[in-house]
Amino acid sequence: MLGDFMKKFIRVLDGFFAAAIFVFFTIIGIGNYILPSNINTYYDKPISYGNIFTFTLSDDEQVDFQRSRPVSAIEGDIKLFGVIPVKTATLSYNQEQSVAVSGESFGIKLYTDGVIVVGTRDVEGDNGKSNPAKEAGLEKGDIIVSINDIKTTTSDKVEEIFNDNNGKPYKIKVKRNGNYKTFSLTPVYSKSEGSYKVGIWVRDSTAGIGTITFYNPSNSSFAALGHPITDVDTNEIMPILEGEAVEANVTKLYKSSNGEAGSICCDFTNNKIGSLSTNSVSGIYGKYICNTDKCSEYKVAPAQEVEKGQAQIICTLDSSGPQLYTVEIVKVSYRDSQEKNMVIKVVDENLISKTGGIVQGMSGSPIIQNGKLVGALTHVIVDNPEKGYGIFAEKMLQQSNSVV
């Protein structure tokens, strides 16, 4: 009888240990996936993630922080419960910075460096339909930088060159995925239009609205959106030739609902508040030429200080200007390559009643937690507009510091 009991007890114990081992290695696997390989810090204090994972310097990299500080990146391990190594990471020290946080809506006028191919079409020729641009090798999303060695920066210039031809091939230089390629494009004579056609659609500019995240006093730059401006047809990041930020006044709100994102509508003014120079995965950047009377100063938090829990966003929904609204950070991901670092849930009933949650035009709204700037709102989750994504302010500050 006792032997049967012991056998059952041992089987239960084996099952318990098997489950514990599975959970243990699952936590290690998840930690290895969500934790960063590069860590930035601004001061000497322990670095931890969710009080589960902690960063520890290698034995030969110990530093007496009271007397010295490493001038270059140093290696260490992120450990589970401070004991079990999960992954190796590099720690870098940077000067702590304060920025002037905004939350103000603004207008965007952007001209591309080259023209973007947004589509091709068939041309009806002597031998039936053909697609000259596609047959030449051009693809949607290509950026045409020159035609017959003539630099192209506007769709009008492209149209002018293509309209002045007698059927001879064009030498088309494009930028695709960061690399330059050259193609030979031979136009086809269209009887219906009485001229040679290449069958291509291009775009050279865009306009829209967004929210200014912060002004960086160290180099008079500003950061906004938290995500890139992409072409509506190709979804490619639009390369900036020149652009400007202008003052905008909110005129109307369209509320979000499940399955449909609302939007903020604005009227642009002629008051230029900045010039645009960078369109990157972490937002748009440029020089700020307006005063910062409406801004409040906040220190920028390193990514590891961002935690689940209550926070605030600052955004402009009417003529009263930037206002604070309560949100909750419900998920945080510290991965280096991840741009959607946070999941944000709107819990402010006043904001929900006005907008239904998150709407287009709120991109760039600063996220404040524990008295510091921790990130910016970037996207709405269309199927559940009370939720959206955010990016770490640390990433936006790094890009902002490179603006010249």
Side-chain angles (χ1 to χ4, degrees), residues 41-87:
T41 190
Y42 307 135
Y43 31 73
D44 308 325
K45 62 182 293 186
I47 296 171
S48 66
Y49 299 88
N51 296 318
I52 298 175
F53 302 99
T54 57
F55 176 81
T56 306
L57 292 173
S58 303
D59 291 338
D60 58 348
E61 294 281 12
Q62 297 298 326
V63 177
D64 182 352
F65 290 124
Q66 300 300 318
R67 299 177 183 176
S68 62
R69 170 172 289 183
V71 294
S72 59
I74 51 178
E75 241 182 34
D77 292 321
I78 301 177
K79 297 180 179 180
L80 177 63
F81 303 125
V83 177
I84 302 163
V86 175
K87 72 185 301 181

Side-chain angles (χ1 to χ4, degrees), residues 19-334:
I21 291 171
F22 174 78
V23 171
F24 174 76
F25 281 104
T26 298
I27 292 174
I28 291 179
I30 292 173
N32 188 63
Y33 179 75
I34 67 171
L35 294 170
S37 298
N38 298 284
I39 303 171
N40 289 297
T41 190
Y42 307 135
Y43 31 73
D44 308 325
K45 62 182 293 186
I47 296 171
S48 66
Y49 299 88
N51 296 318
I52 298 175
F53 302 99
T54 57
F55 176 81
T56 306
L57 292 173
S58 303
D59 291 338
D60 58 348
E61 294 281 12
Q62 297 298 326
V63 177
D64 182 352
F65 290 124
Q66 300 300 318
R67 299 177 183 176
S68 62
R69 170 172 289 183
V71 294
S72 59
I74 51 178
E75 241 182 34
D77 292 321
I78 301 177
K79 297 180 179 180
L80 177 63
F81 303 125
V83 177
I84 302 163
V86 175
K87 72 185 301 181
T88 299
T90 300
L91 177 68
S92 299
Y93 284 87
N94 297 286
Q95 186 70 38
E96 185 176 36
Q97 286 183 249
S98 294
V99 295
V101 171
S102 176
E104 188 175 7
S105 294
F106 76 112
I108 302 163
K109 297 179 180 179
L110 183 70
Y111 292 90
T112 60
D113 187 11
V115 296
I116 300 175
V117 177
V118 298
T120 61
R121 67 180 180 89
D122 291 339
V123 177
E124 186 72 51
D126 292 337
N127 299 316
K129 291 183 179 180
S130 63
N131 193 318
K134 187 175 181 180
E135 291 168 5
L138 294 176
E139 298 178 359
K140 188 176 179 180
D142 284 344
I143 301 167
I144 299 177
V145 296
S146 68
I147 302 174
N148 290 343
D149 297 323
I150 301 171
K151 185 173 175 59
T152 53
T153 57
T154 68
S155 54
D156 287 343
K157 185 64 176 179
V158 172
E159 183 179 6
E160 175 189 326
I161 295 172
F162 282 149
N163 283 342
D164 182 23
N165 74 83
N166 56 6
K168 291 184 178 180
Y170 291 101
K171 184 174 75 170
I172 312 291
K173 185 178 181 180
V174 306
K175 188 176 182 180
R176 180 188 298 170
N177 298 326
N179 298 312
Y180 291 95
K181 297 177 179 289
T182 302
F183 300 94
S184 179
L185 171 57
T186 302
V188 172
Y189 187 78
S190 170
K191 287 183 177 180
S192 62
E193 299 183 52
S195 60
Y196 285 92
K197 298 293 178 183
V198 296
I200 194 170
W201 300 100
V202 297
R203 180 178 289 120
D204 65 3
S205 62
T206 191
I209 63 167
T211 300
I212 296 174
T213 308
F214 63 80
Y215 164 75
N216 185 346
S218 70
N219 60 357
S220 301
S221 67
F222 77 98
L225 294 190
H227 65 75
I229 298 174
T230 57
D231 183 81
V232 66
D233 292 301
T234 67
N235 205 35
E236 296 289 329
I237 296 178
M238 300 185 74
I240 290 182
L241 173 64
E242 59 182 25
E244 57 184 43
V246 299
E247 191 177 74
N249 298 317
V250 177
T251 57
K252 193 171 184 179
L253 287 174
Y254 290 96
K255 294 178 68 171
S256 288
S257 58
N258 288 351
E260 186 172 352
S263 62
I264 298 173
C265 295
C266 292
D267 282 342
F268 289 10
T269 73
N270 292 323
N271 183 21
K272 182 179 176 180
I273 60 174
S275 58
L276 304 176
S277 60
T278 304
N279 182 23
S280 75
V281 292
S282 63
I284 60 173
Y285 302 83
K287 288 295 185 178
Y288 203 58
I289 57 176
C290 188
N291 67 56
T292 57
D293 293 343
K294 298 179 182 179
C295 301
S296 300
E297 186 176 295
Y298 287 89
K299 291 180 179 179
V300 177
Q304 62 269 14
E305 285 193 10
V306 184
E307 58 188 15
K308 292 193 291 184
Q310 185 172 303
Q312 297 82 37
I313 61 170
I314 306 174
C315 58
T316 301
L317 303 177
D318 51 41
S319 59
S320 61
Q323 303 291 323
L324 275 166
Y325 298 95
T326 304
V327 298
E328 184 179 352
I329 299 175
V330 297
K331 184 179 179 181
V332 184
S333 175
Y334 302 97

